[in-house]
Amino acid sequence: MRWRNVKWILLRETRDQLRDRRTLFMISVLPLLLYPLVGMAFLQMAQFLREHPSRVLLIGANQLPLIPPLVVDGQFAEGLLPAVLGAESLELTCADLSPQVSLEAEARRVLSAAEADVVVYLPAPTGLSTPTSDLVTHPSRDQRDVGLGPWRNPQWQPRLFYHAARDRSRVAHDRLWHVMTRWRQQLSEPQATAVAAGTPTTPAGPLRATDVASSVQRRNLVWSKILPFILMVWALTGAFYPAVDLCAGEKERGTLETLLSSPARRGEIVWGKLLTVMLFSMATSVLNLASMLITSTLVANRLAVSSTQPTPWAIGVPPWSGLGWLLVALVPVAALFSALSLALAAQARSTKEGQYYLLPLLILAMPLLILPVLPGVELELGTSLIPLTGMLLLLRKLMEGEHLSLLRFAVPVLVATGISCGLAIRWAIDQFNDERVLFRESERFQPWRELCYRLRHRREMPLPSLAITCGMLILIGRFLLGLLLPAPTNWWEFSAMTMATMVGLIAAVPTLLAVLFTKRPWRCLGLSAPPDWSMGVAVLLALALHPWVVIAGEWVRDVYPAPDGIMQGLQGLLSGVTANWQLFWVLALVPAICEELAFRGFLLSGLRAWSRPWRAIVVSSVFFGLAHGVIQQSVMATLLGLVLGFMAFQSRSIWPAVAFHATHNSLLFVGPQWLAQWQRWYPQLDSILSMRDGQYQFHWSLLLMSAVGSLTLLAWFRGVRAVEGVADQPALISHHGALPAAPS
């Protein structure tokens, strides 16, 4: 073998693989950007993994001994809970059992109706000569220990009932097992006085736990976690490869031009391909599910027969009603994944390049698919509005047999899924309407020559790709800084970290890119002079919209409750503020200038090259929302970003948006103080606006005036004309294809 020839072939094939810069980006650069974004998604999703308090029904608490205590002031005694759990993790309710009621029947009813997560029964011990209620409040040491004899009898066994087919009940069982075990250890500890008096110190008997869930319910729980997840994964993989063949494959076969020259419109072509991909996606999912169910059932039954002891493999077949719900949910899920796969496949120049797009799509979808499987995640209004996650949670509950209680969440799940499908289909149609995407040629990867060319031939406005890159760099930098920098412990550390992040990252990245790649950096950053009166109108708009912003913020906090630790930590940091100007400078003015410079300046200027203005505004708003680390702030920032983007787009300047942004942030932090002063000066304001228990109270007349005033001011911005004639320059609104390609 001649190794010289092997070396030349190796070099040739390596150069051939690296000649296309998009392929090289997919295999080398994208992973560096993708996993920080996935980490951001997991941090956002982690807010849903909050600890739910376990509801405990304690029967027979009036017969407990005083020493050692089990219940103190309506809560379990301090020291019985694990160190990682607080007293609020258990909600205790004490009750007595009627002699006419069966214990197991009552426990089954309570747990099945979800009135409690766990039931603990403390029977009256045999040999108790004196009732606990008749014991003296402060007995002597000898009396205390002698009185514990009946509870130390090994025959006395408390009973614990739980529902193993429910996650919250299993969590409550684990917590209560620790509490009761610790208490019974304290109960059995020998006292010195008892040993001296000859009192027996036999350890207490074990705790008995009874599972009220039936075998069918436990079986449904197992299948409800497996089947929906498998359905989603196979729907995605089953849609992607046919989409690549129908787009990139046709490009390679040369049949795409013939199809596009037919009388069919582009939208009709997309719908035909979409239905084809959906058909294969659904068929792939159904066949894989059927094969998996048959195989797993046969294997499980075989293992169950060959084992003499009960095994977890004997889970049986899934419920037929659950399979029906899976087939119903498969239609919108397949439509969503088919549209996404078709849009991505349209950008691929070859099937080899198209296959690179599967992994990023799968990785980005994984956080949404994994979240419903994690413990502590419940189907609520907030989770039902998350695409894929809401559908998975709904399928889980339906397969577990909970139907009537889920009807109120079916509509939000369907609405969120429908909107996601509509946006994905719209994106796929737009890809087929852009011939630069369909007939993209190979792009040679020459980074140094291309960088020199871009620096010499700078544009008036940044390219959309450069604007998206700027947004990605800001998001990744914000994520890494949040992980690397220590958490602030006081106001001065918080203000220094905020200033460094705003100035050193959010403002520095777009400014550097604007200076390097554009002819007029101040214009692409939106620093042009605003139209007359626009600054004052923006301030009035922030004041007029504030009542509705407060109501929207309360609704978002109700749907996505913020963890107590975040709110308490923020209040602790703000407690070190000595003057209102510090709040205005750190939390209002500096963030307004830096964030508007990035998102309504550079980012919106680059995205303005798209044919649809609202698309640029929406995308810049989404980036603005993602830059906030807490999901409650992200939702509100995205909504407000639409208003800010509209003002910046109409005025061709960021200064009205800066005025709105600074006024809005000031009202959030200083508004309650100002309102309290105005109420003392003008008591008549209480009829339309007041502050009670830390919450704003708005009269309907004020809300009506706020809505009318906001719409009037937005209409004023709609008719405003930019100064400097920026809107009339074709270079600012042309597509990036107007720039000649870099010489090879």
Side-chain angles (χ1 to χ4, degrees):
M1 180 179 293
R2 291 177 292 182
W3 291 103
R4 179 182 179 87
N5 294 339
V6 174
K7 183 190 73 172
W8 284 111
I9 293 175
L10 171 64
L11 296 176
R12 174 186 177 277
E13 297 299 335
T14 304
R15 273 197 310 270
D16 183 67
Q17 293 294 321
L18 299 180
R19 71 177 185 272
D20 188 14
R21 67 178 182 182
R22 182 168 297 194
T23 301
L24 186 61
F25 173 81
M26 292 297 301
I27 63 177
S28 60
V29 180
L30 183 61
L32 301 178
L33 304 177
L34 184 62
Y35 289 101
L37 295 179
V38 174
M40 291 179 57
F42 272 109
L43 287 181
Q44 292 278 14
M45 296 299 178
Q47 300 179 45
F48 295 100
L49 302 178
R50 56 183 181 272
E51 292 288 343
H52 297 277
S54 300
R55 298 167 298 172
V56 182
L57 178 61
L58 186 61
I59 301 176
N62 59 341
Q63 301 175 359
L64 292 175
L66 299 178
I67 302 294
L70 177 63
V71 178
V72 177
D73 296 332
Q75 293 182 344
F76 286 102
E78 185 178 358
L80 297 180
L81 284 172
V84 295
L85 297 177
E88 67 280 357
S89 61
L90 292 174
E91 293 182 358
L92 181 60
T93 302
C94 298
D96 294 327
L97 183 66
S98 175
Q100 292 80 18
V101 179
S102 172
L103 172 62
E104 294 193 6
E106 180 65 13
R108 191 179 303 274
R109 184 195 65 80
V110 170
L111 294 175
S112 299
E115 297 178 4
D117 298 324
V118 67
V119 176
V120 180
Y121 175 65
L122 302 173
T126 59
L128 182 63
S129 57
T130 304
T132 306
S133 57
D134 296 336
L135 293 178
V136 292
T137 307
H138 300 286
S140 65
R141 247 180 225 180
D142 295 343
Q143 289 174 324
R144 289 182 189 178
D145 199 71
V146 171
L148 295 180
W151 284 277
R152 287 179 173 174
N153 190 339
Q155 302 300 323
W156 183 73
Q157 294 181 345
R159 299 190 61 182
L160 189 149
F161 298 87
Y162 71 104
H163 200 292
R166 292 180 178 173
D167 292 334
R168 295 187 61 172
S169 185
R170 292 200 310 273
V171 172
H173 166 269
D174 296 338
R175 293 174 178 176
L176 259 296
W177 189 273
H178 184 281
V179 169
M180 297 301 297
T181 302
R182 178 58 182 157
W183 178 68
R184 289 173 64 76
Q185 288 176 355
Q186 295 180 0
L187 192 65
S188 302
E189 290 175 356
Q191 305 289 338
T193 56
V195 173
T199 304
T201 58
T202 306
L207 181 65
R208 293 176 55 192
T210 303
D211 179 16
V212 301
S214 63
S215 59
V216 175
Q217 292 174 326
R218 290 192 292 268
R219 180 193 66 187
N220 293 348
L221 175 66
V222 175
W223 286 115
S224 66
K225 292 186 175 182
I226 297 176
L227 294 184
F229 180 81
I230 297 296
L231 175 80
M232 298 288 182
V233 174
W234 279 113
L236 174 57
T237 55
F240 192 83
Y241 290 105
V244 170
D245 183 69
L246 292 178
C247 294
E250 284 208 88
K251 291 180 183 180
E252 292 181 334
R253 295 189 296 268
T255 58
L256 185 60
E257 293 84 349
T258 304
L259 180 62
L260 295 177
S261 61
S262 65
R265 299 178 180 179
R266 298 292 176 89
E268 297 169 348
I269 295 175
V270 172
W271 274 104
K273 290 181 176 291
L274 176 65
L275 294 177
T276 303
V277 176
M278 281 183 59
L279 180 63
F280 280 90
S281 174
M282 296 172 63
T284 303
S285 300
V286 171
L287 292 177
N288 279 275
L289 282 176
S291 178
M292 186 193 70
L293 292 177
I294 295 174
T295 304
S296 60
T297 302
L298 294 177
V299 171
N301 292 336
R302 179 64 177 176
L303 291 175
V305 170
S306 60
S307 177
T308 58
Q309 300 294 332
T311 65
W313 297 100
I315 57 177
V317 297
W320 291 106
S321 60
L323 296 179
W325 289 116
L326 288 177
L327 296 179
V328 172
L330 182 59
V331 178
V333 171
L336 175 60
F337 285 136
S338 299
L340 292 175
S341 301
L342 203 62
L344 288 175
Q347 301 185 19
R349 185 175 51 87
S350 61
T351 54
K352 181 193 71 174
E353 180 183 334
Q355 292 173 359
Y356 288 136
Y357 296 155
L358 174 61
L359 184 60
L361 182 59
L362 186 61
I363 291 178
L364 291 176
M366 271 302 159
L368 301 177
L369 300 179
I370 294 177
L371 179 64
V373 185
L374 299 178
V377 180
E378 299 288 339
L379 181 59
E380 303 168 340
L381 181 58
T383 53
S384 65
L385 295 175
I386 303 177
L388 298 181
T389 298
M391 182 65 72
L392 272 173
L393 288 173
L394 184 63
L395 288 175
R396 276 193 57 187
K397 297 301 181 182
L398 289 173
M399 293 186 66
E400 292 173 7
E402 302 179 17
H403 299 86
L404 296 179
S405 61
L406 303 177
L407 292 179
R408 63 183 186 276
F409 299 120
V411 174
V413 169
L414 294 177
V415 169
T417 305
I419 292 175
S420 302
C421 291
L423 294 176
I425 294 172
R426 182 71 259 176
W427 183 33
I429 293 176
D430 291 342
Q431 297 300 306
F432 272 80
N433 286 329
D434 193 348
E435 295 189 358
R436 293 169 303 165
V437 175
L438 293 179
F439 301 107
R440 182 179 61 86
E441 297 296 334
S442 176
E443 301 167 347
R444 299 186 63 182
F445 184 68
Q446 296 177 329
W448 179 250
R449 291 190 63 180
E450 185 169 350
L451 178 62
C452 295
Y453 178 79
R454 296 298 179 188
L455 293 176
R456 289 196 305 267
H457 301 275
R458 291 181 291 180
R459 295 169 52 92
E460 293 284 343
M461 290 287 122
L463 296 172
S465 59
L466 186 61
I468 296 295
T469 302
C470 175
M472 298 280 285
L473 291 176
I474 291 176
L475 294 182
I476 295 174
R478 192 74 181 265
F479 170 72
L480 295 178
L481 286 178
L483 295 180
L484 298 177
L485 295 180
T489 58
N490 53 58
W491 164 252
W492 299 110
E493 292 181 1
F494 173 76
S495 59
M497 185 180 300
T498 301
M499 298 288 287
T501 303
M502 291 294 167
V503 178
L505 175 66
I506 295 181
V509 171
T511 302
L512 180 62
L513 295 179
V515 171
L516 291 177
F517 296 102
T518 61
K519 292 182 179 179
R520 301 178 181 179
W522 69 90
R523 180 170 292 178
C524 79
L525 291 174
L527 298 177
S528 303
D532 296 335
W533 306 104
S534 60
M535 299 281 288
V537 174
V539 173
L540 293 177
L541 181 59
L543 294 173
L545 270 180
H546 186 67
W548 290 103
V549 171
V550 171
I551 293 176
E554 293 176 355
W555 180 82
V556 170
R557 287 190 294 272
D558 290 338
V559 175
Y560 302 105
D564 296 335
I566 294 180
M567 302 305 299
Q568 295 174 358
L570 181 60
Q571 293 296 331
L573 294 175
L574 297 182
S575 62
V577 179
T578 58
N580 287 337
W581 68 266
Q582 298 175 358
L583 287 174
F584 177 76
W585 179 261
V586 176
L587 300 178
L589 185 59
V590 172
I593 296 175
C594 296
E595 291 178 346
E596 297 308 315
L597 198 70
F599 298 104
R600 255 66 62 179
F602 189 85
L603 194 64
L604 186 60
S605 298
L607 298 176
R608 198 179 294 170
W610 285 358
S611 59
R612 302 178 186 273
W614 274 107
R615 183 187 301 172
I617 294 175
V618 170
V619 173
S620 64
S621 301
V622 171
F623 272 99
F624 178 54
L626 293 177
H628 296 74
V630 184
I631 190 171
Q632 295 80 11
Q633 294 180 346
S634 298
V635 174
M636 290 302 302
T638 302
L639 296 177
L640 289 174
L642 300 176
V643 179
L644 294 169
F646 175 73
M647 290 191 298
F649 188 88
Q650 291 297 118
S651 62
R652 299 301 191 268
S653 173
I654 67 168
W655 295 116
V658 169
F660 181 98
H661 198 155
T663 305
H664 166 74
N665 286 7
S666 300
L667 290 174
L668 290 180
F669 294 101
V670 191
Q673 302 177 15
W674 294 346
L675 180 58
Q677 295 179 359
W678 293 345
Q679 285 181 320
R680 289 194 297 268
W681 297 340
Y682 307 101
Q684 58 271 23
L685 286 177
D686 290 345
S687 59
I688 60 173
L689 175 62
S690 62
M691 177 74 69
R692 295 185 179 89
D693 298 330
Q695 298 291 332
Y696 281 97
Q697 303 292 329
F698 299 106
H699 193 262
W700 67 267
S701 58
L702 180 61
L703 294 177
L704 180 60
M705 290 187 295
S706 172
V708 173
S710 301
L711 293 176
T712 302
L713 296 174
L714 288 174
W716 185 91
F717 268 104
R718 191 174 187 274
V720 75
R721 296 185 62 85
V723 297
E724 302 189 40
V726 177
D728 300 329
Q729 295 186 13
L732 301 186
I733 58 177
S734 62
H735 291 285
H736 62 273
L739 183 67
S744 52

